[in-house]
Amino acid sequence: MLSLSAIESFTKQKLIDYGQLVKLRLSFFVVFSAAMSYLWATNRQVDTLTIWLLSAGGFLITACANILNQVIERISDKFMKRTAKRPLPANRMNPLEALTLALLTGVIGLLLLFSINFISGILGFCAIVTYAGIYTPMKRLSSLAIVPGAIAGSIPVIIGWTAGTGAIQLEAILLFGIQFVWQFPHTWTIAWLQNDEYNKAGLKMLPMQRKNKLSASLILLSTFLIIPSVLVLYMYQTAGFHVTWILALAALGMMFLSYKFYIKRTDKAAVTLMLSCFAFLPFVLITLVIEKFL
């Protein structure tokens, strides 16, 4: 018989493995994006049950997509230091167990979203298919995989909006546009830092698959595009003048860091830009919600 300490150790390791499998930080970030979009849409008319269903459903469908991603990439993950210790490439879990968990989280997550309304459920299904079925396998073929990846990563803000309104409206599309454009410098700066490992694994994440001037210039261009994507909020009267310009100034600050990265093309400059990307999107969402609630 197994001792109590052995059972505790096994349980602890299993929970750690499941946490790595669902990518907890990424899943919580998706929930945050969807919830903030919901709050922006409802304008103080918050329904506790709906936001709970949205958060739980959003977390579970993201977990499903992440698990399927790791099942598909379990071989290539062995070649990268940051992924080699995940449960599948480290052989602590077999693919069937992971697929079973993906099925459970996907089905339950979609049922929760469908219980809010049909559009939210369909969007959740599209997010899973786009991320796991298109983006993940396409990473081995072309750096253009970032396009379906950016689409999948931006769908949660539309889910949040439809959960609150029952329809895809202009504000949701504009917010989707901001997050879609943001995905490019965000993903490419990470790819710059991890380029050698991605190349070992056969994943084509950075443009040209090399740390060169052209790749840096594309990162610079993608960062610049965030500025007009933010200004469009005021153009279509979905955000106030002062709020729009606060967001535009934040985008300009990120643009400045992107230009410094383009000039230096060092990992240190890439880390600074990456951290600014991490901070920018939550800042946008929080600022928009605060404006609605004031």
Side-chain angles (χ1 to χ4, degrees):
M1 293 180 62
L2 291 174
S3 66
L4 181 61
S5 60
I7 294 173
E8 289 178 349
S9 177
F10 173 81
T11 303
K12 182 180 179 180
Q13 184 60 58
K14 185 62 69 175
L15 290 174
I16 292 172
D17 286 345
Y18 284 160
Q20 290 180 323
L21 205 60
V22 304
K23 300 181 183 178
L24 283 174
R25 284 183 295 180
L26 176 58
S27 295
F28 280 126
F29 181 76
V30 168
V31 170
F32 172 80
S33 298
M36 295 303 287
S37 179
Y38 171 82
L39 293 175
W40 192 42
T42 53
N43 193 19
R44 303 183 189 182
Q45 304 300 314
V46 178
D47 181 74
T48 305
L49 177 60
T50 300
I51 199 166
W52 184 89
L53 291 170
L54 172 65
S55 299
F59 178 88
L60 289 171
I61 65 164
T62 305
C64 172
N66 287 332
I67 295 169
L68 292 173
N69 167 270
Q70 290 186 57
V71 170
I72 295 169
E73 295 186 339
R74 64 188 184 278
I75 304 301
S76 58
D77 276 351
K78 293 181 179 182
F79 296 94
M80 297 187 288
K81 290 180 181 178
R82 71 182 185 88
T83 58
K85 294 183 180 180
R86 287 175 176 174
L88 288 169
N91 296 318
R92 292 194 307 274
M93 184 184 299
N94 64 63
L96 181 59
E97 181 182 352
L99 286 171
T100 302
L101 185 61
L103 179 63
L104 287 172
T105 54
V107 170
I108 296 171
L110 288 174
L111 287 174
L112 293 177
L113 293 181
F114 273 113
S115 71
I116 300 173
N117 56 55
F118 182 77
I119 299 176
S120 297
I122 287 295
L123 287 170
F125 177 76
C126 290
I128 294 173
V129 171
T130 305
Y131 187 84
I134 302 175
Y135 165 69
T136 298
M138 192 174 173
K139 286 160 67 177
R140 301 192 68 85
L141 304 175
S142 170
S143 60
L144 290 176
I146 192 174
V147 176
I151 292 172
S154 304
I155 288 177
V157 293
I158 304 187
I159 296 176
W161 187 274
T162 59
T165 65
I168 299 175
Q169 298 170 319
L170 176 63
E171 293 90 341
I173 295 171
L174 296 180
L175 197 55
F176 173 90
I178 293 172
Q179 187 154 339
F180 177 80
V181 174
W182 168 86
Q183 296 274 356
F184 286 78
H186 164 72
T187 302
W188 278 339
T189 49
I190 296 173
W192 180 281
L193 293 167
Q194 299 290 330
N195 185 57
D196 291 342
E197 298 229 317
Y198 280 136
N199 286 339
K200 287 179 185 177
L203 302 179
K204 299 177 180 179
M205 296 296 293
L206 189 68
M208 314 301 122
Q209 286 79 64
R210 291 193 298 274
K211 293 182 177 182
N212 57 19
K213 193 172 184 179
L214 180 56
S215 292
S217 66
L218 289 172
I219 294 173
L220 178 64
L221 175 62
S222 65
T223 310
F224 169 77
L225 292 176
I226 294 176
I227 300 172
S229 76
V230 168
L231 292 176
V232 166
L233 291 172
Y234 180 71
M235 183 186 302
Y236 285 97
Q237 299 180 338
T238 56
F241 176 82
H242 293 96
V243 166
T244 302
W245 281 102
I246 288 172
L247 299 181
L249 286 173
L252 280 169
M254 197 159 63
M255 178 66 190
F256 172 72
L257 294 176
S258 186
Y259 179 72
K260 287 183 67 177
F261 161 73
Y262 170 75
I263 296 299
K264 296 181 178 180
R265 296 194 290 281
T266 62
D267 284 359
K268 183 178 180 180
V271 168
T272 303
L273 178 57
M274 179 188 69
L275 292 176
S276 74
C277 287
F278 283 145
F280 178 76
L281 193 62
F283 177 75
V284 169
L285 295 168
I286 291 170
T287 303
L288 289 173
V289 170
I290 289 174
E291 181 192 29
K292 279 288 183 76
F293 276 70
L294 288 179

